[in-house]
Amino acid sequence: MINALALIAVGLTASLLATAASAQATLNSVKQKGVLTCGSNRGAPGFGAPDAQGNWSGLDVDLCRAIAAAIFDDPAKVQFVPLSAQDRFTALTSGQVDVLARNSTVTMSRDTQLGLEFPAINYFDGQGFMVRKTLGLASAKELNGKSVCTDQGTTTELNLADYFRANNLTYQPVSFANATEAKKAYEAGRCEAMTTDVSGLYAARLTLPNPDDHVILPDVISKEPLGPAVRQGDNQWADIVRWTFNAMLDAEELGVTKANVEQMKASENPEIKRLLGTEGRFGEAIGLSNDWAVRIIRHVGNYGESFERNVGEGSPLKIKRGQNALWTKGGLQYGIPVR
């Protein structure tokens, strides 16, 4: 019995070591392929969507381009893989994609039970409702007895049930395989309300024939911290994703932009020197070149620049920074210092 247990223990140890070694190979694998594969949402304007020519853009898309820039000094070395809500996590854990940047909510069960790690939160969101103005509704609590379109297999579906149960309200769920189908059903009048993340509602309203005929109710019924995901067990790869995002945040706070990053390399500000690699060897510590942040900012810009062009008030979505403002301006976005 003792020998058998010992053999089992040795076997498990070897298996775990093999798994860890395999996981740690993500950066090498990406370099060997010469391209980063990014799990994406093809139907979320402002966050992730291709145009008619197949050119991708969005806040999540920019994050993937920033990772590619940090590794290759080329933001175009990304292959975007459209994934549904149902298959996104399996595609990541199976190795089909290197990183998932697809407006995915960070939750405890996803973080602890699916073999995933969420290195950053690149958008603080919350779930809401969109209705036609003709309904004359001012609050989600007036949706009692109404039909609501939602997408299956998401926290959206669970939050919807929780909200109506908690408020002693009834509703008729109309569920679909993905948010695109839910939006089409809402547009066709198959339900009286549509629910998803507020950012998703802004994006969906933009694609409706008459956007001004629809209103997003003020109620926010959940916390939806959205962020990129990687496989557990590869600390180096998680660090690369984490610090790519932090570099974009730190750059905004320090006033380093796409336009001035080359000039800023001459700055005597210690924080800027460490960020841009003119002091210290922080890039090398995570397997990148020391100008990794310069590459990100030169090609993609800082977080504020990405936010503004994709979803901000200068974009078609016209979303206010709100919770996604820097901490210095009353928001929740707080870049970890490079030190």
Side-chain angles (χ1 to χ4, degrees):
M1 177 65 72
I2 293 176
N3 290 337
L5 290 174
L7 288 172
I8 291 172
V10 170
L12 287 173
T13 301
S15 177
L16 288 171
L17 288 173
T19 300
S22 175
Q24 293 288 359
T26 305
L27 177 59
N28 289 336
S29 172
V30 170
K31 287 180 176 179
Q32 289 170 8
K33 290 184 299 180
V35 66
L36 172 75
T37 51
C38 178
S40 308
N41 187 340
R42 72 177 312 134
F47 291 85
D51 61 18
Q53 289 72 46
N55 300 311
W56 286 76
S57 65
L59 194 70
D60 290 333
V61 167
D62 272 2
L63 182 57
C64 289
R65 293 200 189 282
I67 298 167
I71 298 168
F72 299 112
D73 199 15
D74 186 349
K77 290 191 174 182
V78 184
Q79 177 186 357
F80 294 100
V81 181
L83 297 172
S84 70
Q86 287 74 26
D87 62 19
R88 56 185 161 168
F89 299 128
T90 302
L92 176 60
T93 56
S94 68
Q96 182 183 346
V97 296
D98 302 309
V99 60
L100 179 68
R102 190 202 175 282
N103 57 303
S104 299
T105 301
V106 183
T107 68
M108 183 176 180
S109 59
R110 288 175 176 177
D111 184 51
T112 61
Q113 298 175 24
L114 298 184
L116 305 177
E117 183 174 349
F118 294 85
I121 297 172
N122 69 326
Y123 192 89
F124 290 95
D125 208 345
Q127 187 172 330
F129 297 88
M130 178 167 64
V131 298
R132 291 168 177 79
K133 285 183 178 178
T134 53
L135 283 179
L137 302 183
S139 168
K141 291 182 179 178
E142 298 176 71
L143 288 170
N144 191 35
K146 299 287 192 296
S147 55
V148 183
C149 282
T150 186
D151 49 329
Q152 300 169 343
T154 63
T155 55
T156 302
E157 190 175 34
L158 299 176
N159 293 335
L160 177 64
D162 286 348
Y163 178 77
F164 277 82
R165 183 171 66 248
N167 287 282
N168 296 314
L169 304 173
T170 62
Y171 73 105
Q172 302 168 35
V174 187
S175 300
F176 296 89
N178 54 61
T180 300
E181 294 302 315
K183 192 269 291 184
K184 288 179 180 178
Y186 170 79
E187 182 180 343
R190 295 178 59 185
C191 53
E192 295 161 289
M194 175 182 171
T195 186
T196 190
D197 298 342
V198 172
S199 60
L201 294 176
Y202 275 99
R205 185 173 67 172
L206 190 66
T207 65
L208 294 173
N210 298 294
D212 290 341
D213 291 346
H214 307 266
V215 62
I216 296 169
L217 298 176
D219 311 73
V220 177
I221 68 169
S222 70
K223 293 186 291 185
E224 303 296 329
L226 309 180
V230 296
R231 291 178 290 278
Q232 281 183 356
D234 190 338
N235 295 334
Q236 180 191 48
W237 186 243
D239 282 343
I240 288 171
V241 175
R242 177 181 299 109
W243 286 102
T244 293
F245 181 63
N246 276 296
M248 296 176 74
L249 285 178
D250 287 333
E252 181 182 5
E253 183 176 341
L254 293 168
V256 184
T257 68
K258 195 172 183 181
N260 71 14
V261 64
E262 296 300 332
Q263 290 74 26
M264 282 293 200
K265 286 194 289 186
S267 172
E268 291 302 318
N269 182 318
E271 290 182 274
I272 294 176
K273 289 172 72 71
R274 290 192 293 269
L275 175 66
L276 302 186
T278 59
E279 181 177 294
R281 309 181 80 80
F282 298 98
E284 291 181 7
I286 55 173
L288 301 176
S289 64
N290 282 324
D291 68 342
W292 61 285
V294 173
R295 295 177 174 190
I296 292 167
I297 302 160
R298 180 197 300 134
H299 292 297
V300 181
N302 64 39
Y303 179 75
E305 291 177 291
S306 177
F307 189 99
E308 182 63 20
R309 69 171 167 262
N310 288 301
V311 300
E313 295 188 82
S315 75
L317 269 67
K318 302 186 184 307
I319 299 176
K320 296 181 183 298
R321 281 293 290 268
Q323 297 176 108
N324 291 290
L326 293 178
W327 68 286
T328 53
K329 297 183 178 179
L332 298 176
Q333 291 292 4
Y334 187 112
I336 302 172
V338 175
R339 180 180 283 281

